[in-house]
Amino acid sequence: MASSQPPHDTAQHTILSPGPARPQARAARVVVIHGEGLGQRVVVEAAPVLVGRSQEADLVIAHKSVSREHCRIWRDDSGYRVRDLGATNTTRVNDRRIDGEAGLADGDQLTVGESILKFISEDSVEASYHEQIYQLATHDALTELYNRRHFIEAADKEIARALRQPLPLALCIVDVDLFKPVNDRHGHLSGDEVLRQIAAVLRRHARAGDIAARIGGEEFALLLPGCALEAASTFADRLREAVAATAFAPGGEPQRITVSIGIAALGPGRQDRAALMAAADAALYRAKHAGRNQVCVQE
């Protein structure tokens, strides 16, 4: 039976699939699986990794049973290795004291003081699982920036590094202006979307090596290693302008939303995280009371 539909002059095109996505290359890592520092991890790449109690270590385990410089892990042509650095409680691999240094294989356990670390090679299927756990533990679920806990740990390490070298370091605390009325008028889902948009602006402006985090309900922090006060002020003002220029529409209603920013730099009287954050908070307080949508610097 002949078709009643008119013939179609169609050309068929073959669309070539790029195939399944290739997994990204993974570096080996060491994960704390028991004791102080549970859940922390450090990636072992080209540079050697220092494990110890000192804030200058790459993996800090702040427990009295751990020496300031406990052990070092690195990779050479033969694979991954660990060296004990004369720790009071000698480093162990699979519960055996190491004589100077030893090789590391996937799944090996390192005893460092009273903590146990697990070595996971780059080829291990477990690496992906631990990376997911790490992301959940260190990132804010709403904004995907670092969370407050990770920010505190990272800030302590960066401050120690800046004081040791020495290098400039600045901190910006960013607070959303008049955020409560947004939640009250449009609901928390709309407020969450505003926070996600602001986090995206922060992420775009942060340099490689900067640490951006959500540290409170509508409060964010940006730690700027290697950045002096004047440069931090210029950076913060660009960030403020970018937020003010962003199109927000909570509840479907276009609305201009701004942020206030307080800045402080590492220096005399501000050589730890608590003092640095207190100074940036004081500058933020002045920005709020000066009319909001401003950047203030704590000299």
Side-chain angles (χ1 to χ4, degrees), residues 104-160:
L104 288 173
D106 182 48
D108 279 350
Q109 293 189 4
L110 287 78
T111 303
V112 176
E114 296 180 10
S115 293
I116 299 175
L117 288 58
K118 186 171 185 177
F119 175 76
I120 303 170
S121 77
E122 65 268 33
D123 299 322
S124 172
V125 294
E126 198 174 354
S128 178
Y129 166 76
H130 277 283
E131 184 62 26
Q132 291 176 39
I133 297 299
Y134 177 78
Q135 293 294 324
L136 289 172
T138 59
H139 287 69
D140 173 60
L142 176 66
T143 63
E144 298 182 355
L145 299 177
Y146 286 125
N147 59 27
R148 184 182 182 90
R149 177 181 174 182
H150 182 77
F151 174 79
I152 287 171
E153 293 173 355
D156 286 342
K157 289 182 65 175
E158 289 298 334
I159 289 169

Side-chain angles (χ1 to χ4, degrees), residues 13-29:
H13 299 277
T14 300
I15 300 175
L16 298 177
S17 167
R22 295 182 180 180
Q24 294 183 347
R26 293 193 293 260
R29 62 206 67 209

Side-chain angles (χ1 to χ4, degrees), residues 37-92:
L38 179 65
Q40 290 190 74
R41 71 96 161 94
V42 65
V43 174
V44 186
E45 295 180 298
V49 166
L50 174 64
V51 180
R53 194 176 73 248
S54 168
Q55 286 295 333
E56 299 174 7
D58 300 294
L59 178 58
V60 179
I61 304 178
H63 192 270
K64 62 183 180 181
S65 65
V66 178
S67 296
R68 289 183 58 79
E69 295 187 355
H70 203 101
C71 64
R72 181 170 283 112
I73 302 167
W74 76 98
R75 181 177 184 174
D76 60 22
D77 293 340
S78 65
Y80 291 93
R81 302 190 67 77
V82 58
R83 176 183 294 128
D84 182 79
L85 300 177
T88 303
N89 296 310
T90 307
T91 309
R92 294 173 176 265

Side-chain angles (χ1 to χ4, degrees), residues 249-273:
E253 296 180 10
Q255 181 176 340
R256 185 171 186 256
I257 292 176
T258 62
V259 295
S260 297
I261 304 176
I263 308 173
L266 205 61
R270 298 180 203 148
Q271 296 194 331
D272 59 45
R273 172 180 43 81

